[in-house]
């Protein structure tokens, strides 16, 4: 039995969080001990039985790695690991770090056997951060450079290639392990009845309200889509999303149920799922849609969609930041019959297979 720690900034409604919970669930089912350590004290998910969840701080994680706080934060992190290992009577065989603040603490600590999971395009994140000012850019650039000489895991081959060919991170080792998906569990949860799911035809977008996700492009495209369908948004800030929808004249066609712990039944009943992002790592929602036999349209963003939508599905990859092209693809997919059961990517992301790849790092 392996003893695994997964460290993450928080357990709010994001893709990395959902991926790590899925990975932990599968590892536990294979007989291993898994503890998720969240820096912040908020959790939006129902955690499956058998997974230990601990919270390092009783507040948000937004300042734990600032220069005036990082030393105290590292001491607290190291004390938690020491106490946990003493309690369990054995050290952690593998530590998986996720997101910037967790990375910044662990890379400066004395904790061993750490692998850092890269969930997004490094170059795209840096370009986005430049627009927020020099201090925001410097913080992120320093965080990325901290990962040099460390063991990295990327969630898509595109990200691995970007890092290997780039000038920001010089890793000790780097390998790609796709995100884990329990296809049967997703399909079972997709069958759970929910009276809130609309009876009228709709397309769906699942993702937090963030610039990366480009809700502005989504709304501009939706204004050009057939008026016979609605748009369901599963996001963390429905009020802000509605204000943006008003700007693009589509507010009356938007349905905003807010964050849903089980998004699979909403996705299954949709006519199609749409991804409008500027960049991703390996877009979880595209795989989840294919798993429940829902058609998809996506921007050909860096990275991941072109590793998922292959063969005939590549017809529904469109250029980034092009509302007209996105609208045309949505209208096309609404009138198309597609066989999604043979999606090649689904054979490569089974949770049991992915968990074994992670566990092999502890050997």
């Amino acid at each position: 039995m392996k003893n695994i720690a997964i460290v993450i900034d928080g357990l709010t409604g994001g893709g990395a969080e959902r991926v790590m919970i899925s990975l932990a669930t599968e590892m536990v089912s294979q007989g291993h001990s898994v503890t998720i350590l969240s820096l912040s004290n908020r959790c939006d998910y129902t955690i499956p039985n058998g997974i230990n969840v601990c919270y390092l701080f009783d507040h948000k994680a937004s300042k734990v790695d600032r220069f005036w706080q990082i030393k105290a934060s590292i001491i607290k992190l190291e004390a938690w690991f020491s106490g946990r290992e003493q309690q369990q009577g054995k050290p952690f065989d593998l530590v998986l770090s996720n997101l910037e603040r967790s990375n910044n603490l662990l890379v400066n600590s004395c904790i061993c056997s750490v692998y850092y999971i890269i969930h997004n395009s490094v170059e795209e994140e840096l370009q986005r951060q430049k627009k927020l000012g020099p201090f925001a850019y410097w913080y992120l650039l320093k965080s990325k450079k901290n990962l040099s000489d460390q063991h990295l895991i990327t969630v898509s081959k595109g990200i691995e290639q970007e890092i290997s060919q780039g000038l920001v991170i010089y890793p000790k080792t780097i390998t790609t392990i796709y995100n884990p998906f329990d296809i049967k569990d997703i399909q079972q949860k997709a069958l759970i009845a929910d009276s809130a799911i609309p009876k009228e035809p709709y397309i769906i977008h699942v993702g937090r309200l963030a610039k990366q996700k480009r809700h502005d492009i989504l709304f501009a495209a939706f204004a050009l889509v057939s008026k016979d369908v609605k748009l369901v948004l599963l996001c963390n800030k429905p009020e802000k999303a509605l204000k943006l929808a008003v700007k693009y004249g589509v507010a009356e066609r938007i349905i905003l149920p807010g964050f849903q712990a089980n998004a699979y039944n909403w996705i299954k009943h949709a006519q199609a799922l749409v991804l409008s992002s500027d960049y991703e790592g390996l877009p979880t929602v595209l795989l989840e849609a294919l798993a429940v036999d829902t058609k998809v349209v996506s921007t050909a963003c860096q990275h991941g969609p072109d590793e998922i939508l292959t063969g005939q599905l590549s017809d529904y990859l469109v250029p980034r930041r092009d509302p007209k092209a996105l609208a045309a693809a949505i209208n096309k997919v609404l009138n198309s019959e597609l066989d999604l059961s043979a999606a090649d990517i689904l054979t490569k992301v089974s949770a049991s297979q992915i968990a074994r790849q992670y566990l092999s790092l502890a050997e």
Side-chain angles (χ1 to χ4, degrees):
M1 184 185 77
K2 300 296 183 184
N3 191 21
I4 313 296
I6 296 174
V7 185
I8 195 163
D9 291 8
L11 289 169
T12 52
E17 294 86 339
R18 195 157 77 246
V19 165
M20 286 300 105
I21 291 171
S22 297
L23 178 62
T25 302
E26 178 59 31
M27 287 177 168
V28 168
S29 75
Q30 292 185 20
H32 303 283
S33 173
V34 182
T35 300
I36 297 178
L37 176 62
S38 170
L39 299 189
S40 73
N41 65 344
R42 177 179 166 187
C43 181
D44 290 342
Y45 291 97
T46 300
I47 305 297
N49 292 333
I51 301 173
N52 305 304
V53 177
C54 298
Y55 304 97
L56 192 62
F57 301 97
D58 59 2
H59 53 72
K60 293 181 180 179
S62 57
K63 295 181 181 179
V64 299
D65 61 339
R66 296 301 193 252
F67 70 88
W68 66 87
Q69 188 67 38
I70 189 166
K71 185 176 181 180
S73 296
I74 292 169
I75 290 172
K76 189 166 186 176
L77 178 72
E78 290 175 340
W80 181 88
F81 268 88
S82 176
R84 191 76 186 181
E85 289 172 346
Q86 288 179 12
Q87 178 184 342
Q88 295 181 332
K90 63 176 295 189
F92 285 104
D93 300 295
L94 178 65
V95 179
L96 301 175
S97 180
N98 301 264
L99 308 178
E100 306 306 332
R101 294 184 171 90
S102 297
N103 294 347
N104 287 337
L105 296 188
L106 279 163
V107 80
N108 289 293
S109 74
C110 64
I111 296 162
C112 302
S113 305
V114 183
Y115 282 77
Y116 298 86
I117 304 175
I118 311 302
H119 293 273
N120 260 320
S121 163
V122 172
E123 297 294 341
E124 291 285 351
E125 283 189 331
L126 287 170
Q127 288 301 315
R128 173 71 68 188
Q129 206 77 347
K130 274 185 179 179
K131 299 177 182 179
L132 301 179
F135 291 107
Y137 176 72
W138 177 85
Y139 164 78
L140 187 61
L141 180 62
K142 186 174 183 294
S143 298
K144 299 303 184 186
K145 286 181 175 292
N146 279 343
L147 297 176
S148 289
D149 203 34
Q150 303 298 326
H151 298 291
L152 304 189
I153 297 169
T154 60
V155 300
S156 70
K157 293 176 182 176
I159 297 179
E160 179 182 349
Q161 184 177 33
E162 176 193 279
I163 292 173
S164 298
Q165 295 176 350
L167 301 174
V168 178
I169 306 172
Y170 299 91
K172 179 179 289 186
T173 64
I174 185 168
T175 187
T176 293
I177 301 180
Y178 283 135
N179 292 335
F181 292 84
D182 187 335
I183 305 298
K184 289 184 178 179
D185 182 64
I186 289 171
Q187 292 171 342
Q188 289 173 354
K189 288 178 178 176
L191 298 176
I192 296 174
D194 187 338
S195 60
I197 296 175
K199 300 296 187 292
E200 57 197 320
Y202 65 88
I203 60 176
I204 191 168
H205 180 277
V206 181
R208 69 190 189 282
L209 193 70
K211 290 182 179 180
Q212 169 193 349
K213 304 298 182 181
R214 296 309 298 264
H215 285 78
D216 57 336
I217 298 296
L218 175 66
F219 292 157
F222 187 57
L224 304 173
V225 169
S226 168
K227 300 294 189 294
D228 295 333
V229 295
K230 300 281 189 179
L231 171 61
V232 169
L233 292 180
L234 301 189
C235 67
N236 59 333
K237 298 176 181 176
E239 298 84 5
K240 287 188 177 181
L242 183 59
K243 288 181 180 178
L244 188 60
V246 170
K247 178 180 177 181
Y248 287 91
V250 294
E252 72 283 354
R253 298 171 60 201
I254 302 289
I255 299 172
L256 288 157
F259 172 79
Q260 300 292 312
N262 177 17
Y264 307 129
N265 45 9
W266 289 80
I267 295 172
K268 181 170 180 60
H269 288 90
Q271 303 296 302
L273 179 138
V274 182
L275 186 83
S276 51
S277 301
D278 270 353
Y279 62 91
E280 291 284 347
L282 188 76
T284 302
V285 292
L286 295 183
L287 288 152
E288 291 168 341
L290 295 176
V292 300
D293 206 31
T294 294
K295 296 178 289 186
V296 295
V297 172
S298 175
T299 50
C301 63
Q302 305 286 341
H303 296 280
D306 62 347
E307 296 178 41
I308 297 171
L309 302 183
T310 58
Q312 64 171 335
L313 300 183
S314 65
D315 292 343
Y316 300 95
L317 282 171
V318 302
R320 297 183 300 167
R321 306 164 190 165
D322 188 338
K324 290 183 179 179
L326 187 59
I330 294 171
N331 282 322
K332 179 181 177 181
V333 84
L334 290 174
N335 294 290
S336 300
E337 294 293 331
L338 295 172
D339 179 13
L340 306 179
S341 61
D344 182 58
I345 188 68
L346 294 180
T347 65
K348 303 175 183 178
V349 296
S350 71
S352 58
Q353 177 182 344
I354 298 302
R356 286 193 295 271
Q357 290 180 42
Y358 271 102
L359 290 164
S360 70
L361 301 173
E363 295 175 355

